[in-house]
Amino acid sequence: MTGAKQRLLGMTPAQLKEAVTALGMPAFTARQLAEWVYVKRASTIDEMTNISKQNRQRLAESYEVGIRQLIDNQHSKDGTIKYLFPVETQQIAAAQQPADNCRFVETVYIPDGERATLCVSCQVGCKMNCLFCQTGKQGWEGDLTVADILNQIYALPECDQLTNIVFMGQGEPMDNLDAVLRATEVLTADWGCAWSPKRITVSSVGVKNKLRRFLDESPCHVAISMHSPIPEQRRQLMPAEQAMSITEVVELLKQYDFTHQRRCSFEYICFGGLNDQPLHAREIVKLLQGLECRINLIRFHEIPGVDLPASDEKRMEALRDYLTRHGVFTTIRASRGQDIFAACGLLSTAKKNQITK
């Protein structure tokens, strides 16, 4: 990745128009470019045959489509596939570091009957440092560009089979909000993928001001990492609780309408004897009273150096049943890809990034 040419992938029609007019091309060329990049999914400018050869050559001097092919994949026995993509973070791109200092992110493809979900990353590593998350142990190495967020989708071999996208991979989406909003705009716009926002879920631990902005500017689903309804305990698990408490997050969510197509959900990793007790069930019901939402209970997948116990199946089922009886629709999420470290909380490219340094 030389960084010498700008990538068309990730650009809006307005940006494309600015680019082509600066090169002396007709303004309508921008619409043609958008169709080639986002609808027809061209991989090179030379494929754009309704643009004159002269203009294609002119474009190719400064621009490229910008698709980066995956460089590794791992297949789970349950059908989950974890892909490794090279990325050029915004910070690295700004410094114009050489190609051998590129970074990597992991992306997880999860087929399930007629559904096929892609778990995409938005950062290399993460600043949030949640106790139970391997990505947080990696630390933060940079934000992904819009192009590299979208590249995880457009360069995916199963791109045509996707039914849903979740921003639950590496990184905190609200910490790279501008790029995430642009990526979801491309995915949902008529000139882009024209997906329904109902097919996209964006997760967050809760980042003050950023979460409100996302709720105001995006029609996509939101998923909040709760993991404990008790602020003091959540702070021990998630340092982000100190900056924006779970009570603040819920109060903010209550200002928005989730009674129609847009959905609000909470992610809840269950730790045996720690956050899966009757007390926690009662506090969850109390906390979420008046908010239309659902909870996804998630099995804890052990990570090195973290002494946290996993809940057993019986305890998780008891928690699910209590919450459902008290009006909080709750499911236990099936664990996928654990054998290839693709399950929730296991993504990390720390070692791969170090290889290039």
Side-chain angles (χ1 to χ4, degrees):
M1 295 187 297
T2 64
K5 294 183 179 182
Q6 296 185 59
R7 298 164 76 178
L8 298 174
L9 185 66
M11 295 177 70
T12 64
Q15 292 173 314
L16 291 170
K17 181 178 179 180
E18 184 177 340
V20 298
T21 53
L23 292 174
M25 301 179 192
F28 65 78
T29 309
R31 294 195 303 273
Q32 294 174 313
L33 284 174
E35 183 176 12
W36 279 109
V37 173
Y38 299 122
V39 181
K40 297 180 179 178
R41 298 208 296 270
S43 57
T44 67
I45 290 174
D46 198 48
E47 295 174 43
M48 304 176 183
T49 52
N50 62 348
I51 299 173
S52 71
K53 185 175 182 179
Q54 181 182 11
N55 281 342
R56 276 182 277 153
Q57 290 174 339
R58 192 178 305 171
L59 272 169
E61 290 174 2
S62 301
Y63 295 92
E64 60 178 343
V65 174
I67 299 295
R68 311 293 192 216
Q69 297 303 318
L70 62 96
I71 59 174
D72 193 21
N73 63 81
Q74 292 177 270
H75 291 249
S76 167
K77 58 186 178 183
D78 64 24
T80 299
I81 308 173
K82 183 170 70 172
Y83 290 111
L84 184 70
F85 285 101
V87 297
E88 185 178 77
T89 67
Q90 293 174 8
Q91 289 73 21
I92 296 169
Q96 294 184 334
Q97 294 188 25
D100 60 1
N101 270 339
C102 71
R103 299 293 189 268
F104 306 93
V105 293
E106 294 180 325
T107 307
V108 182
Y109 173 71
I110 310 168
D112 185 15
E114 295 183 354
R115 290 172 59 90
T117 300
L118 189 69
C119 182
V120 301
S121 297
C122 62
Q123 293 180 310
V124 179
C126 185
K127 295 178 183 177
M128 299 300 118
N129 197 25
C130 296
L131 178 62
F132 46 82
C133 181
Q134 188 67 44
T135 307
K137 306 306 175 192
Q138 177 176 338
W140 176 79
E141 298 182 33
D143 295 335
L144 297 197
T145 62
V146 182
D148 276 322
I149 292 175
L150 291 172
N151 188 71
Q152 296 168 71
I153 301 161
Y154 277 81
L156 189 80
E158 299 85 3
C159 182
D160 289 333
Q161 300 171 37
L162 292 178
T163 61
N164 298 84
I165 290 173
V166 294
F167 282 77
M168 296 182 183
Q170 294 179 255
E172 162 59 49
M174 301 303 137
D175 204 32
N176 189 16
L177 184 56
D178 286 338
V180 169
L181 286 173
R182 176 75 61 74
T184 57
E185 179 187 2
V186 171
L187 292 170
T188 58
D190 291 340
W191 48 264
C193 294
W195 273 34
S196 165
K198 294 186 296 181
R199 298 171 64 180
I200 303 170
T201 300
V202 179
S203 69
S204 179
V205 301
V207 178
K208 192 164 287 189
N209 300 324
K210 298 291 186 68
L211 179 57
R212 180 183 291 277
R213 185 181 158 205
F214 170 79
L215 292 168
D216 286 339
E217 297 183 23
S218 173
C220 297
H221 298 321
V222 63
I224 300 297
S225 299
M226 181 191 292
H227 311 308
S228 176
I230 302 171
E232 296 78 10
Q233 184 180 59
R234 188 173 185 259
R235 189 177 301 116
Q236 295 174 355
L237 296 169
M238 306 170 63
E241 165 71 20
Q242 189 166 347
M244 187 176 191
S245 72
I246 190 60
T247 53
E248 288 181 274
V249 171
V250 172
E251 287 306 310
L252 174 61
L253 292 169
K254 287 180 179 179
Q255 298 174 27
Y256 295 82
D257 184 5
F258 296 103
T259 60
H260 298 290
Q261 293 186 342
R262 192 183 197 187
R263 188 171 67 232
C264 170
S265 60
F266 290 87
E267 309 296 295
Y268 198 94
I269 296 177
C270 294
F271 306 106
L274 184 65
N275 68 345
D276 61 353
Q277 300 301 296
L279 167 65
H280 299 93
R282 292 193 296 270
E283 289 299 318
I284 291 173
V285 172
K286 185 187 305 182
L287 175 68
L288 300 182
Q289 187 174 9
L291 177 63
E292 183 71 25
C293 63
R294 61 180 61 191
I295 290 184
N296 296 311
L297 301 181
I298 303 169
R299 294 168 180 81
F300 173 57
H301 305 107
E302 295 182 7
I303 62 174
V306 174
D307 186 21
L308 286 171
S311 292
D312 60 33
E313 197 72 19
K314 185 176 180 180
R315 186 64 252 164
M316 291 182 70
E317 289 174 356
L319 182 57
R320 176 199 62 194
D321 294 346
Y322 180 94
L323 294 173
T324 300
R325 284 198 309 270
H326 288 79
V328 182
F329 179 71
T330 304
T331 60
I332 298 176
R333 179 182 293 169
S335 183
R336 300 289 302 271
Q338 187 173 358
D339 56 326
I340 57 169
F341 294 91
C344 182
L346 297 183
L347 299 185
S348 175
T349 50
K351 291 183 179 179
K352 299 179 183 69
N353 293 338
Q354 291 167 4
I355 291 172
T356 65
K357 294 180 180 178

